[in-house]
């Protein structure tokens, strides 16, 4: 078994796609559009990996649909970048680009070296070694 994909509703599909492609070197599928349902999406993946992120847009999904800070359920996901130095480098690149860093690089109590950033719509992404 494995995780096939995680799905994220987004208000700005193109900005979110650009964010994950730029900082995490993800590869994007062609845009899918279902005109009848008013649904549009992209699947993003890492080269050589099968797990994907699906970015989804529908105009009836709004910020008011869910309290992102204090709700039960999905809270973050982690992307491994391959080493402590890479965590530091990517965190500093994102800081320079005015991304919001909500957790500075550190070793956690359970042994992960990570930082935590918010994507352009406020979703928490752990950058791990």
């Amino acid at each position: 078994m494995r995780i096939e994909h995680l799905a994220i509703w987004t208000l700005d599909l193109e900005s979110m796609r650009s964010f994950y492609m730029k900082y995490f070197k993800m590869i994007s599928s062609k845009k899918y559009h279902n005109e009848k349902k008013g649904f549009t999406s992209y699947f993003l993946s890492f080269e050589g990996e099968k797990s994907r992120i699906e970015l989804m847009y529908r105009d009836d999904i709004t910020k008011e649909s869910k309290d992102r800070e204090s709700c039960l359920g999905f809270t973050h996901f982690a992307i491994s970048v391959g080493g402590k130095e890479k965590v530091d480098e990517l965190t500093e690149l994102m800081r320079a680009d005015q991304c919001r860093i909500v957790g500075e690089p550190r070793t956690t109590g359970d042994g992960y070296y990570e930082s935590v950033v918010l994507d352009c719509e406020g979703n928490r992404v752990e950058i791990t070694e």
Side-chain angles (χ1 to χ4, degrees):
M1 288 186 238
R2 66 179 176 84
I3 294 175
E4 205 295 322
H5 73 271
L6 302 172
I8 303 171
W9 284 114
T10 178
L11 298 174
D12 187 338
L13 192 61
E14 299 303 327
S15 291
M16 288 283 278
R17 177 177 173 255
S18 294
F19 177 89
Y20 286 96
M21 290 176 71
K22 176 178 181 177
Y23 296 112
F24 298 103
K25 312 258 187 285
M26 297 189 86
I27 301 162
S28 179
S29 68
K30 291 182 180 179
K31 184 187 284 186
Y32 168 76
H33 181 70
N34 182 319
E35 201 169 310
K36 184 176 180 179
K37 293 184 177 183
F39 174 83
T40 307
S41 70
Y42 287 107
F43 275 100
L44 304 177
S45 61
F46 300 103
E47 188 172 334
E49 294 292 324
K50 293 182 180 181
S51 296
R52 304 178 295 168
I53 296 173
E54 181 180 16
L55 300 176
M56 306 180 304
Y57 173 81
R58 207 174 65 207
D59 64 6
D60 64 331
I61 304 295
T62 66
K63 283 187 176 185
E64 290 74 34
S65 299
K66 176 181 167 187
D67 175 9
R68 294 171 187 246
E69 291 294 320
S70 58
C71 62
L72 293 175
F74 182 81
T75 185
H76 74 268
F77 61 95
I79 296 177
S80 173
V81 295
K84 289 182 180 182
E85 299 80 19
K86 291 182 180 183
V87 171
D88 294 341
E89 289 170 11
L90 182 54
T91 303
E92 290 311 311
L93 171 63
M94 295 175 84
R95 186 188 320 277
D97 286 349
Q98 306 298 308
C99 294
R100 188 158 169 220
I101 312 300
V102 296
E104 293 296 330
R106 69 186 181 100
T107 301
T108 65
D110 55 358
Y112 280 95
Y113 187 77
E114 68 179 35
S115 66
V116 183
V117 300
L118 300 183
D119 69 17
C120 49
E121 291 195 4
N123 298 296
R124 289 178 172 266
V125 182
E126 287 184 357
I127 304 170
T128 66
E129 60 181 304

